Amino acid sequence: MSEHTWIAILDYGSQYSQLIARRIREMHVYSELVKYNISAKDLAARKPAGIILSGGPASVLEENAPLCDPAIYDLGIPVLGICYGMQMTGQLLGGAVRKGKAREYGLARVTVVDSDPLFAGLPGELDVWMSHGDQVDTMPAGFAVAARTGTCPVAAMVCRSRRIYGLQFHPEVVHTPHGTEILKRFVFSVCTCRADWEMTRFIEESVAKIRATVGSGQVICGLSGGVDSSIVAALIHRAIGKQLHCIFVDNGLLRSGEAAQVEETFGKAFGMDLRTVHAGPLFLDGLKGVTDPEKKRKIIGRIFIEVFAEEARKLGEVNFLAQGTLYPDVIESFSPLGGPSVTIKSHHNVGGLPKDLKFKLIEPIRELFKDEVRELGRKLGLPDRIVNRQPFPGPGLAVRVLGEVTPERVALLQQADLRVQEEMEKLENYHTIWQSFAVLLPVQSVGVMGDGRTYENVAALRIVESQDGMTADWARIPYEVLAALSNRIINEVAGINRVVYDISSKPPATIEWE
């Protein structure tokens, strides 16, 4: 990464911090979120071309407000403060911040007073997205107003001699139509970055790094068939070939034909050392009589670790464990509002292994966002059915079979789910759907088929749109598609006589039912 020009983003807990990084990467410039209190010395050592101070929920007027190292402003590196980042800049450099007379939240219109350099070539008035209660009241020495609103006299400020800028609004959100253009002017005109963040280059650098790290060692990868673990396996295999050993645990709770698909893609097409453990009976036996969702998850997790560990021991001495940690998981560990540690995803990342299995971690996609991971997968030659695969729960269909999980009920859901996938993939806007699946409910209903009365199972359809899975809304699927889904499931899947559609959003509901 150090060979690239790059932008450092100091994260103060804004809900939009990751979005800043994504916007800049879309310009083919590498950007990375770093700890908000990183020292100026440590930051300078990494030689960023520019520094962005993100927004955040805190107030600089609070006693324990998160602040940057003031020496950052003296590094001679361009700085852009956004919202909280602008207020912090104003205060740390000798200006004054006060509570605004009126809190601005939502769309606002700014008048550009000084267009050079951030607003060069843009209209004199711009629609922007505001989200603040505090505002810069008195600018530090050497600063000039660049934009204002009716209630915010300093909506943007600039100190050209020191190349320090501040925006009270959020340029990174879609609600600021010219926001990307403003960021581009900072990244290219002010910071003179090169647009050299390309996925082909990422692959070349990652392959070289993996080879240098592994040497003649051996790597083990828990392959689930999901996007992250599949792409990690493909990338590492390109680097070290037969030194990679993939373990695929078929827990009997996968979608119809999924196990065979994984074996075909990775074992045959890619020629990987793929070790499949068909452990379905073991998992289903452990789930007998269990209806509590949390107990299901714990049982499946425990058995998975036992099966994975047993297979790993058969390989003898293995030095490294590959995991599909993504950049949002890493960010969570250091944001002021984030969790204390990196998230470990069940069945993608393998946590809780026995003490005798001591591996060094390899996390080759920890710098990437999900959309970048999918792009990487396409560059590596993975088929679309894997690259564009929707998120699938680690415990598999066990959390979509509500109530007790039995072989018969799993088989029933697999057939219903197969129809859902086949019909949904016909949609032109299928790529906008976050998840689409069937849930087998623990209730039966009366129906009529032919001249006979039936008393069979009910399936619920869950189809949602989302950007990141944190929030979601039910998809407004055309009625004819819903009709086709219902007809196919009821007519082709013996044992289901009623289909319902879940129109709950997240929150308050969750995407999965369990």
Side-chain angles (χ1 to χ4, degrees):
M1 192 281 299
S2 60
E3 296 179 7
H4 301 269
T5 57
W6 72 289
I7 300 293
I9 302 166
L10 275 59
D11 182 14
Y12 292 90
S14 169
Q15 60 181 318
Y16 305 130
S17 293
Q18 292 188 31
L19 195 52
I20 301 171
R22 292 169 70 96
R23 289 284 177 265
I24 295 173
R25 290 190 186 190
E26 286 167 2
M27 303 172 196
H28 299 291
V29 174
Y30 184 72
S31 62
E32 182 179 318
L33 274 78
V34 298
K35 292 182 179 180
Y36 71 92
N37 57 354
I38 185 173
S39 72
K41 180 181 178 181
D42 289 344
L43 186 57
R46 296 191 56 192
K47 300 179 180 178
I51 299 167
I52 293 179
L53 310 173
S54 85
S59 167
V60 295
L61 303 175
E62 295 172 359
E63 184 178 349
N64 296 315
L67 300 175
C68 70
D69 180 349
I72 281 173
Y73 298 104
D74 299 321
L75 294 175
I77 299 171
V79 176
L80 172 63
I82 296 175
C83 195
Y84 177 85
M86 169 174 161
Q87 296 156 16
M88 179 176 61
T89 298
Q91 179 137 313
L92 289 177
L93 294 183
V97 175
R98 64 168 173 83
K99 292 287 183 185
K101 294 178 180 178
R103 176 176 170 81
E104 282 189 302
Y105 183 81
L107 288 174
R109 193 162 182 82
V110 301
T111 299
V112 177
V113 178
D114 186 340
S115 63
D116 186 41
L118 298 186
F119 302 101
L122 298 180
E125 292 194 343
L126 300 170
D127 290 328
V128 300
W129 184 261
M130 291 281 195
S131 179
H132 70 103
D134 299 344
Q135 60 187 43
V136 174
D137 185 45
T138 304
M139 293 181 296
F143 279 78
V145 174
R148 62 167 62 100
T149 73
T151 58
C152 185
V154 187
M157 63 183 190
V158 54
C159 178
R160 282 198 194 86
S161 62
R162 299 178 68 183
R163 295 190 297 171
I164 301 174
Y165 309 85
L167 300 173
Q168 185 54 69
F169 56 88
H170 289 273
E172 70 273 22
V173 302
V174 294
H175 306 294
T176 301
H178 291 283
T180 298
E181 293 301 311
I182 294 169
L183 286 173
K184 279 183 177 179
R185 282 156 177 72
F186 177 72
V187 170
F188 294 113
S189 299
V190 177
C191 302
T192 63
C193 287
R194 299 188 303 273
D196 59 0
W197 172 244
E198 299 285 351
M199 199 51 65
T200 50
R201 183 168 174 179
F202 176 84
I203 292 173
E204 293 170 2
E205 293 176 355
S206 296
V207 165
K209 185 177 180 180
I210 291 166
R211 286 173 179 164
T213 301
V214 173
S216 60
Q218 306 294 307
V219 179
I220 194 170
C221 177
L223 185 60
S224 69
V227 176
D228 303 340
S229 67
S230 297
I231 291 171
V232 163
L235 180 59
I236 295 177
H237 183 258
R238 175 170 291 196
I240 60 173
K242 291 298 183 180
Q243 291 169 253
L244 172 67
H245 312 281
C246 294
I247 297 176
F248 172 50
V249 178
D250 176 8
N251 59 13
L253 302 166
L254 304 175
R255 290 174 169 172
S256 177
E258 195 162 27
Q261 185 183 101
V262 170
E263 291 181 300
E264 175 68 30
T265 300
F266 295 96
K268 296 180 181 178
F270 275 79
M272 293 185 189
D273 177 24
L274 177 64
R275 296 156 186 260
T276 303
V277 185
H278 296 290
L282 190 62
F283 283 86
L284 289 166
D285 186 61
L287 292 168
K288 279 183 181 177
V290 179
T291 58
D292 179 78
E294 190 58 26
K295 287 184 179 178
K296 288 182 186 179
R297 291 177 178 275
K298 288 182 178 178
I299 290 168
I300 292 168
R302 174 181 55 79
I303 297 174
F304 175 83
I305 290 299
E306 291 172 356
V307 172
F308 184 90
E310 182 180 350
E311 194 66 22
R313 290 189 184 99
K314 295 177 183 177
L315 289 166
E317 185 178 350
V318 176
N319 315 88
F320 300 92
L321 173 67
Q323 292 196 153
T325 305
L326 298 187
Y327 195 42
D329 302 325
V330 178
I331 293 169
E332 183 181 282
S333 69
F334 64 74
S335 171
L337 299 184
S341 61
V342 171
T343 300
I344 302 298
K345 287 177 264 175
S346 175
H347 284 59
H348 291 260
N349 292 353
V350 183
L353 286 168
K355 292 181 179 178
D356 66 305
L357 293 173
K358 296 179 180 178
F359 300 121
K360 296 177 182 176
L361 286 183
I362 290 184
E363 300 169 306
I365 58 174
R366 63 181 280 121
E367 294 178 351
L368 304 183
F369 290 105
K370 193 74 172 187
D371 54 340
E372 293 173 323
V373 171
R374 294 188 194 279
E375 182 187 350
L376 171 60
R378 284 187 280 271
K379 295 285 187 183
L380 290 169
L382 286 171
D384 285 345
R385 67 176 182 273
I386 289 179
V387 171
N388 297 325
R389 189 176 188 259
Q390 295 176 354
F392 189 67
L397 298 180
V399 292
R400 294 180 181 173
V401 173
L402 275 58
E404 184 178 6
V405 181
T406 65
E408 295 76 21
R409 299 191 76 209
V410 170
L412 197 62
L413 181 58
Q414 284 177 328
Q415 291 306 306
D417 186 81
L418 179 61
R419 273 73 184 173
V420 173
Q421 302 315 311
E422 288 175 349
E423 290 301 315
M424 289 300 298
E425 287 172 3
K426 296 176 184 177
L427 281 179
E428 287 186 8
N429 65 333
Y430 176 68
H431 66 282
T432 68
I433 301 298
W434 179 261
Q435 278 177 282
S436 51
F437 56 89
V439 179
L440 190 64
L441 305 187
V443 295
Q444 292 181 297
S445 71
V446 174
V448 178
M449 289 189 178
D451 296 322
R453 173 185 181 278
T454 62
Y455 187 58
E456 293 179 336
N457 295 277
V458 180
L461 299 179
R462 184 65 161 147
I463 305 172
V464 299
E465 296 174 340
S466 177
Q467 294 296 315
D468 53 15
M470 300 301 293
T471 61
D473 194 16
W474 60 280
R476 276 58 169 178
I477 298 299
Y479 288 153
E480 56 268 24
V481 177
L482 290 175
L485 287 167
S486 178
N487 289 336
R488 285 202 63 191
I489 292 171
I490 292 172
N491 292 325
E492 298 175 19
V493 182
I496 295 177
N497 69 354
R498 190 178 299 270
V499 174
V500 298
Y501 190 43
D502 181 352
I503 58 170
S504 310
S505 61
K506 176 187 179 181
T510 54
I511 296 178
E512 298 289 344
W513 279 47
E514 288 191 345

